Amino acid sequence: MDNSDFDLLCEGASPEEAKRLRKVLADWCAGDEGGFPAQLALLTRAQWRAAATVPRAVQEARQCLQQQFAEQHRQLTALVNQLEQVTSATLREQRRLVDKLASDSAKAIAELRVPLFEAESVAKRVRLELETGAEKWTEATTDFQTATKRLTQLCADLQSRPWRSHWVLLALLLIATFIAGYFIALYRAH
């Protein structure tokens, strides 16, 4: 014997529930399984079964979402940890580079201080030498001007009075003239 729609309606029901359903069906349609009340009862039973699966489906969906959320949270945590590690490594590298740059800069500054100190001392010596040279130049210029003035005055004095050498030369010329005249007179007398 084939199962009827009513048998499907009663499937999974307790014997007492099936008995009550038969009684309702008998009252509604006096045993007509293809009538409207039986079809309505089957439809209602199908809706109840579908409605009974909704909480389980919601629970399964909730569990699925929770699993997905947990997986996403785990992946996000792993990514954040990985980012933190990369960032920490990068920061350590940057800090190392900054420290190295600071150290190199300090060394370079220290190395530059020695030549700068030497250049400063050389500049001070050059300045002292230049000042000394300028003083000596000023003294030499003053001495030269004084000597020039004395020489000019001496030349002027010499030009204003006859020289002794002029007198000596004049005396020698006179003596030479007398001697030449004497020899000429002796030559004529002989």
Side-chain angles (χ1 to χ4, degrees):
M1 184 158 118
D2 291 333
N3 286 340
S4 65
D5 290 336
F6 186 77
D7 292 331
L8 289 175
L9 181 64
C10 293
E11 185 178 303
S14 65
E16 187 174 311
E17 188 179 11
K19 183 178 174 184
R20 289 176 70 199
L21 285 174
R22 279 192 183 91
K23 184 178 180 192
V24 169
L25 182 61
D27 288 344
W28 278 359
C29 58
D32 183 16
E33 292 182 10
F36 174 74
Q39 293 297 322
L40 181 62
L42 287 173
L43 180 63
T44 304
R45 176 73 176 176
Q47 288 175 341
W48 287 347
R49 283 186 182 163
T53 61
V54 169
R56 189 174 348 129
V58 168
Q59 181 63 25
E60 288 173 0
R62 181 181 296 148
Q63 287 176 350
C64 182
L65 285 175
Q66 286 176 348
Q67 287 174 351
Q68 287 180 353
F69 178 74
E71 179 64 24
Q72 294 295 327
H73 185 265
R74 187 190 62 76
Q75 289 177 359
L76 184 61
T77 303
L79 287 174
V80 167
N81 289 339
Q82 187 179 13
L83 177 65
E84 182 180 349
Q85 290 172 355
V86 169
T87 303
S88 296
T90 303
L91 286 175
R92 281 193 302 273
E93 181 66 21
Q94 291 295 327
R95 191 172 294 130
R96 187 189 65 77
L97 287 175
V98 167
D99 290 345
K100 184 178 184 301
L101 181 62
S103 173
D104 292 348
S105 297
K107 287 178 185 177
I109 289 171
E111 290 174 1
L112 287 175
R113 282 187 181 155
V114 172
L116 286 176
F117 179 74
E118 291 175 2
E120 186 177 343
S121 66
V122 168
K124 285 179 181 177
R125 282 187 285 161
V126 167
R127 181 177 181 180
L128 181 63
E129 294 291 328
L130 285 174
E131 288 174 354
T132 304
E135 289 173 5
K136 288 184 179 182
W137 176 258
T138 304
E139 289 174 9
T141 304
T142 305
D143 290 345
F144 180 73
Q145 288 175 350
T146 304
T148 302
K149 285 180 184 177
R150 277 190 3 219
L151 183 60
T152 304
Q153 183 64 37
L154 185 61
C155 285
D157 288 346
L158 286 175
Q159 286 179 357
S160 66
R161 62 178 184 199
W163 291 356
R164 288 182 192 157
S165 61
H166 282 83
W167 290 110
V168 171
L169 184 60
L170 186 59
L172 285 175
L173 280 174
L174 285 175
I175 291 174
T177 304
F178 285 125
I179 291 178
Y182 176 73
F183 282 120
I184 291 176
L186 272 180
Y187 179 70
R188 279 194 187 179
H190 274 296

